[in-house]
């Protein structure tokens, strides 16, 4: 498939970038100030990611940051900058019980747990759960329930005020070598069906005025704006404006006119934001 | 206290509970409240117990994982960290000792060890900031054997696919 043309039609580019490694400070264990000082002594220089609360770029490092004692002690999580945005947009407080419906490997689960009263993390894949459980233990979080549960069929007795749907997606070219060769529109449409099934169940589990963040690391409208357009068409929800980096969501991908609210979503083109490709929408139940 | 909902078969083994309590007693007199889900132990969190009753699904873990029963009790690194806050059974390592220990070196000797405290043979292994790195068996005054170190997080992660998202 010719992605160059496809992305040009979306007013974007498939331009490669050198993605900076970033981390998130686990403030339940250490302050950013102390971590910066400790890592500096080991030849690691951190630079603040301007659009994140606890996100830092690794500007210089003489060592592997995944093998440092501070990483193993749970003082930080190696997490790409764009991936840190969705959890921040839920404005979590200590009163919130948050549902994270596609949880492994746990970057966003652990990010939510730092601020929430409790996090319910759904992950049906046993292999993927290894990383999730590992990260919860390493970060020392005492308020996470991990469930062997598919998000599409989850039927709890309670509803939620805050839900994160970081949906399974086809990814993007920044994260994976040879990504363009592996992908097809058919793949995107298959993924979109799964994403809609998950989103439908999660909207049903949302309280009135409850907030839901839908995010993917895909740049394909079939998995992003078009999924949200479908949700706006079929459920009692509205979109809320998002204040973060990135472009407005595309209202007419490939000439298809979508809902007028779609520009309230955010689309992160790697060559513009210096992050991986990302899409975020904030839904509120009417 | 057991964490229950209709999907998780929960049982209480007194032998198992004795195992975790005996392990904790080797390091501290403090009681650590726990719940048990099958053969695994978790730090007690009453709020999570109440929430879990509402979930109608199979619960894999709730709160901090403390360890599990195998032939003997196998502690988690999270439990060792909790114990290190009150325990006096400790070995303090040098900088080199810290790196060698977390990279899985089985035996550590004089150049790795800064000091030791306590009387038991099982000791918590600490770095210069008194942060827990794992635990060990003391061979003699200048030699210890690694039983579990926090490099295990990395080794487990390598077995499963890593993702930066």
């Amino acid at each position: 498939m010719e992605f160059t043309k496809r992305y040009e039609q979306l007013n974007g580019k498939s331009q490669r970038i050198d993605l900076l490694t970033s981390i998130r400070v686990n403030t339940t264990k250490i302050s950013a100030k102390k971590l910066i000082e400790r890592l500096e002594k080991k030849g690691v220089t951190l630079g603040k990611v301007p659009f994140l609360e606890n996100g830092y770029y690794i500007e210089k490092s003489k060592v592997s940051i995944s093998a440092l004692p501070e990483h193993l002690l749970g003082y930080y999580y190696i997490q790409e900058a764009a991936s840190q945005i969705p959890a921040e947009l839920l404005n979590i407080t200590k009163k919130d019980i948050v549902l994270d419906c596609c949880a492994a490997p746990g970057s966003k689960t652990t990010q939510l747990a730092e601020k929430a009263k409790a996090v319910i993390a759904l992950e049906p894949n046993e292999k993927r759960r290894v990383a999730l459980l590992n990260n919860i233990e390493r970060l020392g979080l005492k308020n996470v329930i991990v469930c062997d549960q598919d998000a599409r069929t989850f039927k709890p007795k309670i509803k939620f005020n805050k839900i994160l749907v970081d949906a399974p997606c086809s990814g993007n070219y920044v994260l994976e070598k040879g990504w363009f060769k592996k992908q097809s529109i058919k793949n995107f449409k298959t993924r979109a069906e799964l994403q809609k099934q998950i989103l439908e169940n999660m909207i049903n589990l949302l309280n009135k005025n409850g907030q839901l963040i839908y995010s993917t690391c895909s740049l394909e409208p079939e998995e992003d704006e078009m999924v949200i357009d479908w949700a706006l068409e079929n459920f009692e929800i509205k979109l809320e404006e998002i204040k973060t980096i990135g472009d407005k969501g595309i209202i007419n991908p490939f000439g298809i006119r979508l809902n007028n609210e779609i520009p309230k979503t955010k689309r992160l083109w790697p060559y513009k934001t210096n992050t991986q490709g990302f899409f975020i929408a904030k839904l509120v139940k009417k | 206290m057991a964490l229950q909902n209709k999907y998780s078969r929960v049982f209480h083994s007194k032998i198992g509970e004795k195992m975790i309590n005996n392990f904790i007693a080797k390091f501290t007199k403090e009681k650590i409240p726990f719940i048990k889900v099958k053969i695994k132990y978790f730090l007690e969190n009453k709020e999570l117990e109440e929430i879990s009753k509402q979930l109608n699904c199979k619960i894999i873990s709730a709160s901090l994982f403390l360890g599990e029963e195998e032939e003997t009790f196998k502690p988690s690194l999270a439990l060792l960290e909790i114990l290190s806050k009150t325990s006096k059974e400790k070995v303090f390592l040098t900088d080199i000792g810290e790196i060698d220990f977390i990279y899985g070196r089985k035996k550590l000797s004089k150049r790795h060890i800064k000091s030791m405290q306590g009387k038991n043979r099982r000791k918590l292994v600490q770095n210069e900031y008194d942060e827990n790195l794992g635990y060990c068996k003391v061979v003699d005054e200048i030699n210890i054997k690694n039983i579990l170190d926090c490099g295990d997080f990395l080794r487990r992660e390598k077995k499963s696919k890593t993702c930066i998202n």
Side-chain angles (χ1 to χ4, degrees), chain B residues 17-141:
Chain B
E17 287 185 18
K18 205 175 167 185
M19 272 189 203
I20 184 173
N21 281 327
N22 284 348
F23 184 86
I24 291 168
K26 284 177 188 166
F27 297 96
T28 181
K29 287 176 183 168
E30 302 284 321
K31 295 284 175 209
I32 297 173
F34 56 80
I35 55 166
K36 189 180 178 191
V37 182
K38 295 190 178 177
I39 61 164
K40 298 192 173 186
Y41 293 88
F42 298 89
L43 191 66
E44 188 178 67
N45 181 330
K46 290 193 188 298
E47 280 178 344
L48 292 194
E49 283 184 60
E50 286 308 307
I51 296 166
S52 72
K53 289 174 189 166
Q54 310 291 316
L55 297 182
N56 283 340
C57 67
K58 187 178 171 188
I59 291 166
I60 301 297
S61 82
S63 185
L64 206 53
F65 175 57
L66 297 180
E68 62 189 314
E69 294 167 19
E70 289 181 351
E71 284 178 12
T72 57
F73 175 73
K74 193 181 167 197
S76 72
L77 288 152
L79 174 60
L80 300 180
E81 191 195 343
I82 294 169
L83 294 173
S84 74
K85 307 287 182 211
T86 53
S87 179
K88 287 178 180 163
E89 298 294 334
K90 290 178 179 176
V91 176
F92 291 88
L93 300 184
T94 60
D95 284 357
I96 298 166
E98 177 181 32
I99 296 299
D100 282 357
F101 184 73
I102 65 173
Y103 288 173
R105 191 182 177 113
K106 291 291 166 210
K107 291 179 183 172
L108 284 88
S109 56
K110 203 173 179 179
R111 73 189 182 102
H112 299 112
I113 299 166
K114 205 180 248 178
S115 64
M116 276 192 210
Q117 62 181 47
K119 293 174 185 173
N120 295 341
R121 290 192 74 189
R122 296 276 193 280
K123 290 195 192 299
L124 300 166
V125 178
Q126 308 294 114
N127 66 8
E128 62 168 325
Y129 299 103
D130 196 10
E131 294 162 332
N132 182 259
L133 305 170
Y135 83 119
C136 70
K137 183 180 169 184
V138 175
V139 179
D140 56 40
E141 284 173 4

Side-chain angles (χ1 to χ4, degrees), chain A:
Chain A
M1 187 200 305
E2 185 50 80
F3 276 94
T4 308
K5 281 184 186 164
R6 182 174 157 84
Y7 287 175
E8 277 172 7
Q9 285 176 19
L10 301 170
N11 291 323
K13 287 182 198 170
S14 55
Q15 187 180 313
R16 292 223 160 263
I17 58 156
D18 290 324
L19 195 62
L20 275 175
T21 302
S22 45
I23 62 166
R24 175 173 51 82
V25 181
N26 176 16
T27 54
T28 64
K29 282 200 168 185
I30 196 167
S31 69
K33 188 173 176 273
K34 275 189 183 170
L35 183 67
I36 290 166
E37 284 169 9
R38 275 182 71 154
L39 294 185
E40 192 75 46
K41 285 181 191 167
K42 296 184 176 181
V44 181
T45 308
L46 300 182
K48 183 86 173 64
V49 181
F51 54 88
L52 294 173
E53 192 183 349
N54 294 312
Y56 289 82
Y57 289 122
I58 308 293
E59 289 183 340
K60 196 176 76 183
S61 179
K62 294 173 186 168
V63 290
S64 160
I65 57 154
S66 65
L68 283 173
E70 285 77 7
H71 181 239
L72 301 172
L73 290 165
Y75 291 167
Y76 59 87
Y77 194 113
I78 302 166
Q79 185 180 1
E80 203 279 323
S83 152
Q84 297 183 44
I85 298 172
E88 285 197 4
L89 295 174
L90 275 174
N91 302 317
I92 305 295
T93 70
K94 278 291 168 201
K95 289 178 182 172
D96 290 320
I97 298 170
V98 189
L99 177 61
D100 180 7
C101 76
C102 310
S107 56
K108 298 172 193 75
T109 308
T110 53
Q111 190 179 359
L112 294 166
E114 269 189 56
K115 299 206 164 173
K117 176 180 176 183
V119 177
I120 321 295
L122 309 185
E123 181 50 61
N125 183 316
E126 192 178 355
K127 278 188 181 172
R128 287 174 59 80
R129 267 202 313 267
V130 173
L132 173 64
L133 295 166
N134 201 27
N135 284 320
I136 292 167
E137 185 188 340
R138 184 172 61 82
L139 271 67
L141 297 164
K142 299 165 186 166
N143 58 344
V144 183
I145 299 174
V146 176
C147 306
D148 175 6
Q149 178 63 46
D150 188 318
R152 292 170 293 180
T153 53
F154 185 44
K155 303 282 179 218
K157 293 175 192 165
I158 48 171
K159 292 199 171 189
F160 298 87
N161 290 326
K162 293 186 180 173
I163 298 179
L164 177 65
V165 181
D166 186 47
C169 69
S170 53
N172 64 82
Y173 68 91
V174 174
L175 292 182
E176 198 181 344
K177 265 190 176 177
W179 183 88
F180 290 120
K181 286 179 187 170
K182 292 178 191 169
Q183 297 300 331
S184 67
I185 291 176
K186 193 182 166 194
N187 279 356
F188 305 150
K189 288 186 174 169
T190 307
R191 284 283 182 190
E193 283 314 305
L194 172 66
Q195 290 154 353
K196 286 175 186 173
Q197 288 168 15
I198 293 171
L199 190 54
E200 177 174 6
N201 195 35
M202 289 301 121
I203 290 170
N204 288 334
L205 294 181
L206 205 54
N207 280 322
K208 192 180 174 189
N209 295 322
Q211 302 171 18
L212 183 152
I213 294 286
Y214 174 88
S215 62
T216 73
C217 58
S218 167
L219 287 164
E220 313 312 317
E222 291 86 348
E223 302 181 63
D224 299 334
E225 287 92 344
M226 290 158 96
V227 171
I228 299 304
D229 181 67
W230 167 85
L232 288 167
E233 190 70 29
N234 289 285
F235 305 99
E236 289 293 308
I237 53 161
K238 60 182 179 182
L239 280 175
E240 197 171 278
E241 200 95 44
I242 296 171
K243 285 179 186 152
T244 187
I245 56 163
D247 289 0
K248 289 176 179 176
I250 301 167
I251 197 164
N252 56 348
F254 317 117
I256 304 165
R257 176 75 190 187
L258 304 181
N259 190 295
N260 284 339
E261 283 202 78
I262 289 295
K264 290 180 178 173
T265 64
K266 284 282 183 179
R267 158 176 285 269
L268 278 64
W269 288 103
Y271 72 98
K272 288 186 177 177
T273 54
N274 240 346
T275 64
Q276 63 166 314
F278 225 79
F279 174 84
I280 313 167
K282 187 172 186 176
L283 282 60
V284 177
K285 196 156 182 180
K286 288 180 187 168

